[in-house]
């Protein structure tokens, strides 16, 4: 880590979460210096409406008299594909997660359709679950210290982006605000926005004169609530449990240190706000399996509530600017109760890695990366599943007209070359 940023860096990553750290890993491994701005934004709808949240802390199993004071947090990771996916983008992180308590389970048969975005790991049928805190902690260690990196990677915890610098044709860096109130401009050849669901990306681009970004939405907005529980004695190895009941759903994910994290969604906030209401809502579902499990468990924190929405910012549909890529929840948000968000993030990191093969300063590198990322997100967006994992079967994705025409032209060209021989 560092506390004094350079005035210029080859790659600037906005956001120190899962998406930002994966982006930092692939950019660094491509041979570029990287600076990650990991300071948390204090603006945005989720930050404004979330209640009961506390600063994330490491959770260690202690005597129940004091262990129950551990903080609850949203966004626990349901990771499809196990260690292969993480290691592919940040080598060594999968094994480290296992050593530090991440759990593994067989992938349920109904969730097999989610593996189709991992072309090199069709045979992997494993869930790897852990808290977001643990995942971020491990990735940070690997990304910063991995000896395979040829260039330096630095993370700033006391700094966050408050705007972009450049114009409608190119992003040249970002304005960085520090916790002490000072502000500096940091220029970069590539800026990756991975600042999460509360991202102000569209506002920043508008300030540079970039046209409005189209947004695709699905369904109606609602609310999600999460709470952590100590697993009762003898139930630490309970499998991931999910329930879908129309607009309401719940999922219980075993994580490290003998803890469960339970997340529920509902169209109205009051139904899942507060400890009693949260437990009652789980029991009121058509399948009370999750409710019965937590009825015998001791809470390890308060209920945290935040609004949710499923939306996709279509940055691939605007012209430019060069040197700027958006990934993760800043690009598209999915249901918090399935793995598509993580899959989209991993696919975006792989697409960025391929695009950097042309060089970080190539005039079309960022554009090609954003378009490739959009193709990956489109596959997940077309998935009919709207509830917890395993809620539906895979619906084949029909190629677009442009794709089908391209295939016809390719086949025709091959036929003509054969005739000429």
């Amino acid at each position: 880590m560092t506390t004094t940023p350079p005035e210029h860096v080859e790659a600037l990553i906005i956001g120190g979460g899962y998406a930002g750290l994966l982006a930092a890993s692939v950019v660094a491994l491509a041979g570029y210096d990287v600076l990650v701005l990991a300071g948390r934004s204090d603006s945005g709808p989720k930050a404004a409406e979330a209640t009961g949240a506390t600063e994330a802390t490491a959770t260690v199993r202690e005597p129940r008299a004091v262990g129950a004071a551990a903080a609850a947090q949203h966004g626990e990771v349901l990771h499809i594909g196990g260690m292969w996916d993480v290691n592919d983008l940040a080598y060594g992180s999968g094994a480290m997660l296992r050593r530090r308590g991440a759990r593994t389970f067989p992938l349920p048969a109904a969730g097999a359709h989610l593996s189709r975005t991992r072309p090199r790991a069709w045979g992997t049928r494993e869930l790897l679950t852990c808290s977001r805190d643990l995942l971020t902690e491990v990735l940070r260690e690997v990304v910063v210290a991995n000896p395979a990196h040829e260039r330096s990677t630095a993370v700033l915890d006391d700094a966050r982006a408050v705007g972009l610098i450049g114009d409608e044709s190119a992003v040249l860096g970002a304005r960085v605000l520090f916790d002490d109130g000072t502000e500096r401009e940091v220029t970069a050849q590539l800026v990756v926005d991975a600042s999460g669901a509360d991202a102000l990306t569209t506002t920043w681009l508008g300030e540079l004169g970039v046209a409005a970004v189209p947004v695709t939405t699905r369904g109606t907005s609602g609310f999600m609530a999460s709470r952590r529980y100590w697993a009762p004695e003898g139930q630490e190895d309970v499998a991931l449990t999910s329930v879908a009941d129309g607009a309401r759903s719940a999922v219980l994910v075993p994580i490290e240190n003998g803890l469960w994290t339970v997340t529920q969604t509902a169209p109205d906030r009051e139904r899942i706000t507060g400890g009693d209401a949260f437990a009652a809502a789980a029991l009121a579902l058509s399948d009370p399996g999750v409710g019965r499990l937590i009825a015998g468990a001791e809470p390890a924190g308060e209920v945290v509530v935040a609004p949710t929405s499923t939306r996709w910012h279509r940055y691939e549909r605007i012209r430019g600017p060069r040197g700027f890529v958006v990934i993760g929840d800043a690009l598209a948000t999915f249901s918090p109760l399935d793995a598509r968000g993580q899959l989209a993030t991993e696919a975006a990191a792989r697409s960025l890695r391929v695009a950097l093969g042309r060089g970080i300063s190539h005039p079309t590198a960022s554009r090609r990366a954003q378009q490739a990322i959009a193709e990956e997100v489109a596959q997940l967006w077309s998935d009919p599943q709207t509830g917890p994992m395993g809620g539906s079967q895979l619906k084949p994705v029909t190629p677009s007209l442009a794709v089908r025409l391209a295939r016809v032209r390719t086949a025709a060209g091959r036929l003509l070359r054969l005739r000429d021989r």
Side-chain angles (χ1 to χ4, degrees):
M1 298 181 195
T2 183
T3 56
T4 304
E7 295 183 356
H8 176 80
V9 68
E10 289 174 309
L12 182 65
I13 312 296
I14 302 174
Y18 188 49
L21 291 171
L22 287 186
S25 178
V26 299
V27 174
L29 285 171
Y32 301 101
D33 291 328
V34 179
L35 178 65
V36 180
L37 303 178
R40 297 188 178 184
S41 173
D42 57 4
S43 60
K46 282 191 178 182
E49 296 190 39
T51 60
T54 59
E55 188 66 20
T57 59
T59 306
V60 179
R61 187 73 184 242
E62 302 173 359
R64 290 184 179 264
V66 293
Q73 183 184 345
H74 280 309
E76 312 305 335
V77 174
L78 167 61
H79 199 79
I80 300 297
M83 292 185 292
W84 186 92
D85 296 295
V86 187
N87 279 321
D88 177 48
L89 299 164
Y91 184 76
S93 53
M96 192 179 296
L97 284 168
R98 286 289 300 272
R99 288 196 300 271
R100 297 192 183 179
R103 313 298 303 281
T104 56
F105 304 93
L107 177 64
H113 64 289
L114 290 175
S115 67
R116 74 187 190 280
T117 61
R118 296 163 26 254
R120 293 175 55 195
W122 291 100
T124 303
R125 297 183 58 80
E126 182 184 61
L127 294 177
L128 185 144
T129 64
C130 65
S131 68
R132 178 169 294 185
D133 295 344
L134 178 61
L135 181 67
T136 303
E137 173 189 329
V138 167
L139 282 177
R140 282 176 67 130
E141 292 184 25
V142 171
V143 169
V144 173
N146 194 331
H149 291 174
E150 299 177 1
R151 307 297 289 271
S152 65
T153 300
V155 179
L156 294 180
D157 286 312
D158 62 344
R160 59 188 176 91
V162 293
L164 302 173
I165 55 178
D167 55 32
E168 68 276 8
S169 64
V171 169
L172 304 177
R175 302 197 318 273
V176 181
L177 179 66
F178 292 85
D179 289 348
D180 61 7
T182 60
E183 183 176 318
R184 290 184 59 184
E185 288 190 352
V186 178
T187 59
Q189 294 169 264
L190 174 68
V191 177
V192 178
D193 190 335
S195 51
D198 300 333
L200 301 175
T201 316
T202 54
T203 301
W204 293 346
L205 290 175
E207 294 171 351
L208 299 183
V210 177
V213 179
V215 181
T216 300
T217 59
R218 171 178 291 167
T220 58
S221 299
F223 294 88
M224 64 176 286
S226 295
R227 192 177 201 182
R228 289 182 182 174
Y229 293 84
W230 292 115
E233 297 295 335
Q235 297 190 50
E236 293 85 353
D237 294 328
V238 65
L240 180 144
T241 306
S242 62
V243 177
D245 188 3
R248 297 169 54 207
S249 53
V251 62
L252 182 152
V253 181
I255 58 173
E256 67 275 7
N257 299 316
L259 287 166
W260 294 340
T261 179
V262 179
T263 301
Q264 296 191 66
T265 61
D268 52 326
R269 185 189 188 106
E270 290 72 21
R271 184 184 292 272
I272 52 178
T273 300
D276 294 339
F278 186 85
L283 285 170
L285 294 170
S286 58
D287 180 349
V290 172
R292 290 171 179 167
L293 284 169
I294 64 177
E298 180 182 344
E302 299 302 319
V303 178
V304 185
V305 185
T308 65
S309 63
T310 305
R311 53 109 183 96
W312 176 12
H313 286 98
R314 310 304 297 271
Y315 291 103
E316 82 283 2
R317 293 185 177 179
I318 63 174
R319 290 185 60 86
R322 298 189 312 273
F324 187 65
V325 178
V326 186
I327 69 172
D329 287 348
L331 175 66
T333 58
F334 294 88
S335 167
L337 300 187
D338 64 45
R340 286 177 290 172
Q342 285 79 9
L343 290 171
T345 296
E346 293 152 12
R350 289 193 290 268
S351 298
L352 179 61
R353 179 171 59 189
V354 172
L356 289 177
R358 290 173 167 259
I360 199 170
S361 299
H362 194 281
T364 65
S366 58
R367 177 69 173 169
R368 287 176 178 271
Q370 199 70 67
Q371 290 175 336
I373 291 168
E375 292 175 4
E376 298 287 353
V377 172
Q379 293 186 48
L380 293 161
W381 190 266
S382 62
D383 193 322
Q385 177 181 341
T386 56
M389 187 187 62
S392 65
Q393 298 298 320
L394 172 63
K395 179 180 179 181
V397 180
T398 302
S400 66
L401 177 61
V403 171
R404 284 178 285 172
L405 287 175
R407 291 175 180 173
V408 171
R409 294 191 193 99
T410 300
R414 291 173 180 169
L415 181 60
L416 289 174
R417 285 194 296 273
L418 288 173
R419 286 181 177 178
D420 291 340
R421 290 179 180 177

